[in-house]
Structures are given as structure tokens and as C-alpha cells.
């Protein structure tokens, strides 16, 4: 009688996604269901790609003056026409994308960095520290954003760098109030008490445990704030307080084209379309992020 020896077959281990990977996958699925957010994200991505590839796809030098070709309407050679100095509008628009995105991102980073720190300190420590910081924030909020930016840039002087600073300053109160409210709620949770009982100091608790858990509203507000920053920077340049000639900035181009609205409307039309679509893209994408990151928006 032969004894058959059979080998025990063990099923191969199945790799499961980590909790973080599952969280990101769930976030992407929620975002993907929002068609408006996907459209907004596509618009933003389109402009980012244009900004990166501007030197390679721009048909002409954005600063090259050719008075013999001034005020040419859109044509096969100049797809968006030329301005009053014969400069190619399409090339200037492509390079202007870099400037507008840079102003938007840098100014929001300035406002977010200061606002987040003020909000964390105010919400975590409370008492007189909270009172002092919030009264300063209330003073900044007492001025409309564009007026506060005008006051700051009037004191610093017109330049693109000062535009970033002024727009960043008027973004501080928004971030500070959002972070303060989130910190007040987060510091009462059990995991903060557990970390504190283990001997962690305030710096570790604030920046390693509270801040990472309140990033969702910060990310959403930052995305929406970029749109506001781009629009405000364009407005300041339109008034002559931002980028100075011959910098190809969208607001400055729009200001230059207002003198030719009836004879050469394309000079102002294309920068206006660019500003509107980019701001719309950030707003749509920011709204989608808010819905996807909000746990109360589950379907």
C-alpha cells in the first residue's frame, strides 16, 4: 500500500493597500465624481503646462517691438494679433502665465505661512494670546482686501515683488481664522491628550500632531485663495501698481488694451479671457476639493 504525500498548499498572501493609500483612493474617487472639479483641475493643469513650456511654444519674443506690425488683428502669422508696439500678444500671454501663477502661488504661500502660525498659536494657547492675535486679525479684516493691498503697495512702491507681499498680507486673516477654529476643535481630541501625557512638548503637539490633522481646510482655502490672488494682482497691475512695462503681465496687458477697445479689441480681449478662465479653473477645483475632503459630504 502506497502512501501519497500531499504538499499543503498555502494561498499566496494578498497585498492590501495601506490605510493612507485607501484614503487617497477614496479622495480621488470623490473628486472624480465632481465633473466641475475635474474641469477646473484640467484648466489649471493646462495653464501650468503652458507656463512650463512657454519658452518652447511662444512663436515670438514677448518683448520684441516692431512698430511696422502694430495693431495687427488675429491672423495666420500672429494668432492673437499684435499690440500698439507690434509685440505678439500670444507670446506675451504665454509668458504672462508664468507671472500670474507665480504671483498667485507665492502670495498665498506668504499669507498661509504667517496665518497658519498665528492661528495655531492663538487656538492652542488661548487666553490673552488668543485675544491679542485675534484683535490684530480683526484690524486687518476691517479693510476690504483690495484696499488693504493698495495701501501696502502704495507704501512699498509699485513692483511685482511688492504685489506678492501685499496680496500675501491680506490673505493672512483668512488662514488665521480657519486654522484657529480647527485648532480649537483638534486640541480637545483624545490623541492630543495621549501625546501630552507621554511628555511631548507644545511644539511637537502643534506641528507634528495638530497641524497634519487640520490640513484639509487649509488646502481647500489655499486653492481658492490662489484665484483671488491672481485676480487681485491683475487688478493692481491694471492700475499701474503691479508689474511695470514691458513685463508681459495679464493685468498690465489688459490696461494697455483699454485705449484700443474700439480700434483693436483683441489687445484686451485675450488677456481678459485668460484671467477669467484661470480664476474659474481654481474656483471650480477648490470647490471640488472642499467636497472631497469634507467627511460630511459622503454620498
Amino acid at each position: 500500500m502506497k502512501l501519497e504525500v500531499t504538499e499543503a498548499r498555502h494561498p499566496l498572501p494578498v497585498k492590501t493597500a495601506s490605510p493612507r493609500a485607501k484614503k487617497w483612493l477614496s479622495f480621488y474617487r470623490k473628486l472624480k465624481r465632481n465633473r466641475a472639479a475635474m474641469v477646473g483641475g484640467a484648466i489649471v493643469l493646462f495653464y501650468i503646462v503652458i507656463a512650463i513650456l512657454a519658452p518652447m511654444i511662444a512663436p515670438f519674443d514677448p518683448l520684441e517691438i516692431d512698430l511696422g506690425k502694430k495693431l495687427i488683428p488675429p491672423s495666420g502669422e500672429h494668432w492673437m494679433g499684435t499690440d500698439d508696439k507690434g509685440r505678439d500678444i500670444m507670446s506675451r500671454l504665454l509668458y504672462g502665465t508664468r507671472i500670474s501663477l507665480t504671483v498667485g502661488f507665492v502670495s498665498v504661500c506668504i499669507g498661509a505661512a504667517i496665518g497658519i502660525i498665528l492661528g495655531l498659536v492663538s487656538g492652542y494657547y488661548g487666553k490673552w494670546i488668543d485675544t491679542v492675535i485675534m484683535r490684530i486679525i480683526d484690524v486687518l479684516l476691517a479693510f476690504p482686501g483690495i484696499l488693504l493691498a493698495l495701501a501696502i503697495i502704495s507704501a512699498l512702491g509699485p513692483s511685482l515683488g511688492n504685489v506678492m507681499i501685499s496680496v500675501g498680507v491680506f490673505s493672512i486673516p483668512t488662514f488665521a481664522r480657519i486654522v484657529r477654529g480647527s485648532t480649537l476643535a483638534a486640541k480637545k481630541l483624545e490623541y492630543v491628550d495621549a501625546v501630552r501625557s507621554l511628555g511631548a512638548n507644545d511644539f511637537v503637539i502643534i506641528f507634528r500632531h495638530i497641524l497634519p490633522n487640520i490640513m484639509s481646510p487649509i488646502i481647500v482655502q489655499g486653492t481658492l485663495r490662489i484665484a483671488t490672488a491672481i485676480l487681485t494682482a491683475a487688478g493692481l497691475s491694471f492700475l499701474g501698481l503691479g508689474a511695470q512695462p514691458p513685463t508681459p503681465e495679464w493685468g498690465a496687458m489688459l490696461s494697455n488694451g483699454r485705449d484700443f477697445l474700439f480700434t483693436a479689441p483683441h489687445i484686451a480681449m485675450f488677456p481678459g479671457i485668460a484671467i477669467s478662465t484661470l480664476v474659474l479653473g481654481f474656483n471650480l477645483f477648490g470647490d471640488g476639493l472642499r467636497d472631497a475632503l469634507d467627511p460630511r459630504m459622503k454620498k
Side-chain angles (χ1 to χ4, degrees), residues 104-149:
F105 281 106
V106 172
S107 59
V108 168
C109 286
I110 293 173
I114 300 175
I116 288 172
I117 293 176
L118 291 177
L120 286 170
V121 173
S122 176
Y124 184 79
Y125 289 105
K127 299 181 181 179
W128 67 268
I129 297 178
D130 181 32
T131 302
V132 172
I133 293 177
M134 283 300 103
R135 295 300 75 78
I136 296 174
I137 297 301
D138 290 339
V139 171
L140 294 177
L141 285 173
F143 297 92
I146 186 66
L147 292 182
L148 180 60

Side-chain angles (χ1 to χ4, degrees), residues 220-262:
V220 172
Q221 185 59 40
T223 305
L224 295 171
R225 206 65 189 172
I226 291 174
T228 304
I230 292 173
L231 192 59
T232 305
L236 292 172
S237 295
F238 182 85
L239 296 175
L241 299 174
Q244 300 300 303
T247 305
E249 199 275 337
W250 290 349
M253 293 173 64
L254 195 63
S255 177
N256 182 51
R258 64 181 171 176
D259 297 328
F260 306 94
L261 289 177
F262 296 102

Side-chain angles (χ1 to χ4, degrees), residues 149-168:
L150 279 171
I152 294 172
I153 203 169
S154 297
L156 298 177
S159 72
L160 200 59
N162 291 338
V163 166
M164 298 181 193
I165 295 174
S166 61
V167 176

Side-chain angles (χ1 to χ4, degrees), residues 185-198 205 209:
K187 74 175 185 179
K188 298 177 181 178
L189 299 179
E190 294 180 356
Y191 75 90
V192 174
D193 294 333
V195 173
R196 187 182 291 111
S197 65
L198 293 174
I205 294 174
H209 298 281

Side-chain angles (χ1 to χ4, degrees), residues 39-40 48 291 293:
V39 171
I48 291 175
D291 295 344
L293 292 172

Side-chain angles (χ1 to χ4, degrees), residues 11-156:
L12 295 176
V14 179
K15 293 184 178 180
T16 58
S18 63
R20 179 172 295 182
K22 290 181 179 179
K23 183 178 179 180
W24 280 107
L25 184 60
S26 174
F27 161 73
Y28 174 73
R29 287 173 177 170
K30 292 179 184 177
L31 188 63
K32 190 176 180 180
R33 286 198 297 264
N34 192 324
R35 294 184 180 180
M38 298 304 292
V39 171
I43 293 173
V44 172
L45 182 61
F46 172 74
Y47 276 102
I48 291 175
V49 171
I50 284 180
I52 295 172
L53 301 179
M56 292 179 280
I57 61 179
F60 297 94
D61 184 345
L63 304 179
E64 182 181 356
I65 296 176
D66 187 354
L67 296 179
K69 296 182 177 180
K70 65 179 182 179
L71 301 180
I72 294 177
S75 61
E77 182 181 4
H78 299 278
W79 289 6
M80 295 183 181
T82 60
D83 62 8
D84 59 316
K85 295 180 177 58
R87 297 171 296 196
D88 183 67
I89 292 178
M90 180 177 177
S91 300
R92 292 177 62 78
L93 207 64
L94 293 174
Y95 276 88
T97 308
R98 287 184 159 190
I99 298 174
S100 293
L101 286 175
T102 300
V103 170
F105 281 106
V106 172
S107 59
V108 168
C109 286
I110 293 173
I114 300 175
I116 288 172
I117 293 176
L118 291 177
L120 286 170
V121 173
S122 176
Y124 184 79
Y125 289 105
K127 299 181 181 179
W128 67 268
I129 297 178
D130 181 32
T131 302
V132 172
I133 293 177
M134 283 300 103
R135 295 300 75 78
I136 296 174
I137 297 301
D138 290 339
V139 171
L140 294 177
L141 285 173
F143 297 92
I146 186 66
L147 292 182
L148 180 60
L150 279 171
I152 294 172
I153 203 169
S154 297
L156 298 177

